[in-house]
């Protein structure tokens, strides 16, 4: 079991969540995210679907990026700040229906799973070493919160890859969507806007 603790922005008190995950042989088996402000418990068990307060979850049915609400998962890496802003600009309406920055990675992923958002992306999580990185404890918390959220999305019928459409690495780029078409279009916009890869600082 991995307790991710409380994640999110302390400046946004209603954008905090508690995440707990269980792994076996390197594979996420159980993911739990609790939103104390809405009293919502998101749960997922690999191969058995996802639920919110005991009710089945299903990702949204939006089939085009122009009809999708898209979120960005914040990153603390200054090398990714400008690429992230370029991505947000490229994804602003009318390319999408609208943009959000939830301030809490776990909740952003949970909201894709339950249909409040249609997609979320992140250009990466800073590593646990180096002067511009997160403290090791916070880095581990971010990774386990992301893992629990990704399991929720997949069990709700969504798709999760890296920003190149490949295998999702623990702290690498993240591209999550409700379905194939929104995911494909989001990948195309990220590539065309030149947001993949860090800027020099």
């Amino acid at each position: 079991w991995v307790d991710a603790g409380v994640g999110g922005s302390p400046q946004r008190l209603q954008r905090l969540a508690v995440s707990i995950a269980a792994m076996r042989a390197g594979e996420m088996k159980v993911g739990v995210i609790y939103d104390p402000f809405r009293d919502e418990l998101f749960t997922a068990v690999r191969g058995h679907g996802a639920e919110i307060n005991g009710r089945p979850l299903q990702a949204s049915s939006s089939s085009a990026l122009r009809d999708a609400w898209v979120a960005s998962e914040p990153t603390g890496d200054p090398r990714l700040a400008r690429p992230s802003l370029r991505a947000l600009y490229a994804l602003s309406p009318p390319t999408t229906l609208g943009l959000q920055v939830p301030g809490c990675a776990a909740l952003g992923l949970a909201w894709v799973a339950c249909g409040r958002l249609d997609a979320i992306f992140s250009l990466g999580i800073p590593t646990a070493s180096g002067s511009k990185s997160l403290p090791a404890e916070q880095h581990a918390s971010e990774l386990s919160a992301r893992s629990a959220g990704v399991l929720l999305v997949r069990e709700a019928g969504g798709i999760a890859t890296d920003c190149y459409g490949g295998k999702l690495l623990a702290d690498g780029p993240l591209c999550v969507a409700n379905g194939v078409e929104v995911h494909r279009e989001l990948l195309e916009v990220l590539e065309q806007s030149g947001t993949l890869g860090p800027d020099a600082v």
Side-chain angles (χ1 to χ4, degrees):
W1 290 91
V2 181
D3 179 4
V6 178
S9 171
Q11 287 76 33
R12 300 181 178 184
L13 289 179
Q14 295 192 13
R15 296 291 177 91
L16 300 173
V18 178
S19 303
I20 300 175
M23 299 183 70
R24 177 180 293 173
E27 185 177 64
M28 188 63 58
K29 296 294 186 181
V30 178
V32 178
I33 296 173
Y34 179 61
D35 179 351
F37 296 98
R38 296 171 182 79
D39 192 25
E40 292 179 336
L41 182 66
F42 299 86
T43 58
V45 179
R46 184 175 295 276
H48 295 277
E51 297 182 343
I52 176 174
N53 291 346
R55 303 186 305 274
L57 279 182
Q58 181 64 46
S60 78
S61 58
S62 298
S63 58
L65 189 61
R66 65 177 179 274
D67 299 321
W69 283 97
V70 177
S72 174
E73 179 184 314
T75 174
D77 190 332
R79 300 172 303 165
L80 298 174
R82 284 176 291 186
S84 294
L85 289 173
R86 289 198 296 270
L88 290 172
Y89 179 79
L91 289 164
S92 60
T95 303
T96 65
L97 196 60
L99 298 170
Q100 291 191 26
V101 181
C104 176
L107 281 183
L109 289 161
W111 289 358
V112 173
C114 72
R116 292 174 191 164
L117 292 170
D118 302 294
I120 187 170
F121 73 93
S122 171
L123 301 185
I125 296 175
T127 61
S129 61
S131 59
K132 297 178 180 177
S133 65
L134 294 175
E137 183 177 341
Q138 185 180 351
H139 182 257
S141 174
E142 292 283 352
L143 293 182
S144 51
R146 175 187 276 201
S147 298
V150 166
L151 181 60
L152 275 168
V153 170
R154 286 173 170 164
E155 289 298 318
I159 298 172
T161 69
D162 67 11
C163 288
Y164 302 92
K167 182 178 180 180
L168 180 60
L169 301 178
D171 57 0
L174 169 80
C175 183
V176 171
N178 64 326
V180 174
E181 287 305 313
V182 173
H183 183 262
R184 179 186 59 79
E185 291 184 57
L186 179 54
L187 289 175
E188 289 178 357
V189 172
L190 292 176
E191 180 180 8
Q192 293 168 5
S193 59
T195 60
L196 302 182
D199 282 359
V201 293

